[in-house]
Amino acid sequence: MKKRVLLGLTCIFIIVIIIFVIIFINKQKKEKIIKHAQMEVKLVDNLTVEFLEKRKISSFISSINGKVVEDYEVDTTSLGKKDVKFEFISEEGITVPYRFQINIVDTTPPKAFIGSTYRIKKGSSDRFINNILCGDNYDNRPICTVEGYFDLDTVGTYPVTFKAVDNSGNVFKKNFNLVVYTPAPSSSSSSSSTKKPKKLFSDVVKEHKNENTRVGIDVSKWQGNIDFDLLKQDGVEFVMIRVGTTSRTNGEYVLDPKFIQNITNANRVGIDVGLYFYSYANSKESALADAEWVLEQIQGYDVSLPIAFDWEEWSSFNDFNVSFYGLTSIADTFLNRLEEEGYQGMLYSSKTYLENIWLEQPHDIWLAHYTTKTDYQGKYRMWQLCNNGRVDGIKGDVDIDIWYND
């Protein structure tokens, strides 16, 4: 009996050893196949990538004996060396891990918004340099200076150069004339000026209304008490209503004094509603707080059109210490939070800043360009074509907008 037990245990032991040997051999074989497959991968010669450049895994591979499992887009939102990992299925059907390193660089120079002439009053502070919008795609605060001789206490025209340098050493330069002047004495007589003719809502409808468009307006407290019944009668198809703003960056929230009145009456008469929030956000955290506040204010109302992020602090942009990428990320944070709750998101901005500051992002665009025919080349969902419109139901000027259907 004992011999049988010992024999059985011996057989089990031998079987276990054989299994372990087989596993070990297969493992060694698999590792050999993986190592060989890895050695067969050939990468492209240039593994340097621009900041925010869109590159998938496959774009770095010149040849591979297998198929990449997930050809994902590599994150290029930070500079420096970056490890990239992926897996591919070898010809033998084995999943092979692979890793390589890329170098993310920034070769884009900063931008400064300055013309050929900059006028400044005699005796002004040299802080005027900070009043010239100067920013960078990556750096929050490029170094901006004015090179050349000038004397702010002496009237004259000084040929100088505006220079901006980012942390990657990219340089922007522009020559301009700094004109130091003495203000003319104020005159009691008012000079006559040609006023821009008002744009009638009915004329905009005649010109732009078709099966693929809708014509509407955007309003805030500045339009006072609005007669929405008259708006409806005059053919207003939608209204973008300001929810509110803050008292400055990280300041107290301020509900537009006419918001509740406006949205209640728009819902009552059946005019489609979209919203916008005027933001002073300087970080993702403050943008998220803005979005949460907006969500609290709009509960219970019918909002069928997008909610727009409206950021227009261009005159004090330098003080926000934010890059163009950072500002775009701030807008995305606000809009993504609203979209999580089922609302549509939209970015509001003028043609100049859409073309020069805002980076590409996935949300619809509300273009502000006061002209008869815009030459903006980017995609946009809505066009604010004037700020001097007139429509029944509002005393005074109002912005008129065109909505474009899919």
Side-chain angles (χ1 to χ4, degrees):
M1 185 69 178
K2 289 183 180 180
K3 290 182 178 180
R4 291 181 181 179
V5 172
L6 289 174
L7 181 61
L9 291 174
T10 301
C11 290
I12 292 174
F13 178 75
I14 294 172
I15 292 172
V16 170
I17 293 297
I18 293 173
I19 291 174
F20 273 106
V21 169
I22 293 173
I23 291 174
F24 178 78
I25 293 174
N26 287 337
K27 183 179 179 182
Q28 292 290 101
K29 182 180 179 181
K30 183 178 180 181
E31 289 178 351
K32 186 176 181 180
I33 293 174
I34 289 175
K35 187 174 181 180
H36 181 265
Q38 289 173 333
M39 293 177 64
E40 291 293 307
V41 176
K42 303 298 182 185
L43 301 176
V44 297
D45 293 333
N46 186 7
L47 295 178
T48 299
V49 184
E50 278 290 329
F51 171 64
L52 296 184
E53 183 179 352
K54 292 185 177 180
R55 296 282 296 274
K56 288 188 174 183
I57 291 293
S58 57
S59 69
F60 296 101
I61 302 172
S62 60
S63 67
I64 186 171
N65 292 328
K67 183 178 180 180
V68 175
V69 174
E70 182 184 0
D71 192 17
Y72 66 89
E73 194 170 280
V74 177
D75 181 11
T76 58
T77 59
S78 59
L79 301 186
K81 303 290 185 180
K82 180 181 180 66
D83 287 332
V84 179
K85 302 176 183 178
F86 72 96
E87 294 180 330
F88 66 95
I89 306 298
S90 70
E91 294 177 340
E92 295 83 4
I94 295 176
T95 300
V96 180
Y98 195 86
R99 65 188 296 169
F100 61 96
Q101 193 174 73
I102 61 174
N103 185 31
I104 304 171
V105 299
D106 171 27
T107 62
T108 302
K111 291 181 180 180
F113 290 73
I114 185 170
S116 58
T117 300
Y118 189 92
R119 292 173 55 81
I120 187 169
K121 293 180 182 180
K122 176 184 176 182
S124 297
S125 165
D126 58 7
R127 181 174 164 74
F128 80 91
I129 298 172
N130 192 58
N131 296 330
I132 299 171
L133 195 162
C134 178
D136 185 63
N137 63 330
Y138 183 80
D139 287 348
N140 290 334
R141 197 70 170 93
I143 299 174
C144 305
T145 56
V146 171
E147 296 182 336
Y149 172 77
F150 61 90
D151 183 356
L152 297 181
D153 293 322
T154 303
V155 172
T157 298
Y158 302 91
V160 291
T161 301
F162 189 93
K163 180 180 179 181
V165 184
D166 66 19
N167 285 335
S168 295
N170 302 304
V171 180
F172 167 90
K173 282 188 175 184
K174 183 170 183 178
N175 298 327
F176 70 102
N177 287 323
L178 179 61
V179 178
V180 179
Y181 70 97
T182 301
S186 59
S187 174
S188 58
S189 60
S190 58
S191 59
S192 60
S193 59
T194 303
K195 291 185 178 181
K196 188 177 180 180
K198 303 302 179 183
K199 203 166 189 71
L200 300 180
F201 185 84
S202 56
D203 289 341
V204 176
V205 170
K206 291 177 184 178
E207 184 178 356
H208 294 279
K209 175 61 182 170
N210 57 54
E211 61 181 7
N212 294 316
T213 64
R214 287 192 284 171
V215 185
I217 59 175
D218 59 270
V219 301
S220 67
K221 67 177 183 178
W222 304 113
Q223 277 66 52
N225 293 317
I226 300 173
D227 189 328
F228 278 82
D229 292 287
L230 287 180
L231 292 185
K232 183 78 171 179
Q233 293 175 26
D234 207 30
V236 173
E237 296 178 280
F238 68 88
V239 58
M240 299 293 292
I241 301 172
R242 189 177 83 148
V243 181
T245 183
T246 59
S247 59
R248 291 300 291 180
T249 301
N250 299 320
E252 295 182 359
Y253 287 98
V254 181
L255 187 71
D256 187 291
K258 299 297 181 181
F259 169 69
I260 295 176
Q261 176 179 312
N262 286 339
I263 194 170
T264 299
N265 286 325
N267 285 170
R268 176 181 59 80
V269 302
I271 296 178
D272 286 343
V273 170
L275 307 172
Y276 70 96
F277 176 80
Y278 191 103
S279 178
Y280 292 92
N282 64 349
S283 66
K284 291 181 180 181
E285 291 73 20
S286 56
L288 183 60
D290 288 350
E292 297 292 354
W293 181 83
V294 169
L295 289 169
E296 291 178 5
Q297 311 312 310
I298 65 179
Q299 290 182 14
Y301 296 111
D302 183 7
V303 180
S304 58
L305 295 180
I307 302 174
F309 180 78
D310 179 9
W311 199 100
E312 303 180 48
E313 290 305 295
W314 309 115
S315 62
S316 56
F317 177 84
N318 298 351
D319 294 330
F320 279 77
N321 295 314
V322 62
S323 67
F324 301 157
Y325 170 69
L327 184 61
T328 303
S329 298
I330 286 170
D332 286 344
T333 299
F334 177 92
L335 297 173
N336 289 340
R337 179 66 188 99
L338 295 174
E339 291 179 349
E340 287 176 0
E341 297 300 324
Y343 296 99
Q344 298 171 291
M346 177 178 281
L347 174 65
Y348 171 88
S349 193
S350 67
K351 175 179 179 290
T352 296
Y353 301 111
L354 286 171
E355 291 176 335
N356 292 284
I357 288 186
W358 294 105
L359 303 182
E360 182 182 355
Q361 43 85 48
H363 308 287
D364 283 339
I365 297 296
W366 179 5
L367 167 69
H369 190 198
Y370 303 152
T371 181
T372 55
K373 185 178 181 180
T374 180
D375 58 355
Y376 177 64
Q377 296 300 305
K379 294 181 179 180
Y380 54 95
R381 174 67 65 185
M382 192 158 63
W383 173 28
Q384 186 185 76
L385 56 86
C386 74
N387 63 351
N388 63 335
R390 290 300 174 96
V391 64
D392 289 345
I394 294 178
K395 296 178 180 179
D397 292 343
V398 67
D399 304 334
I400 299 179
D401 305 276
I402 310 298
W403 173 276
Y404 298 91
N405 300 323
D406 290 326

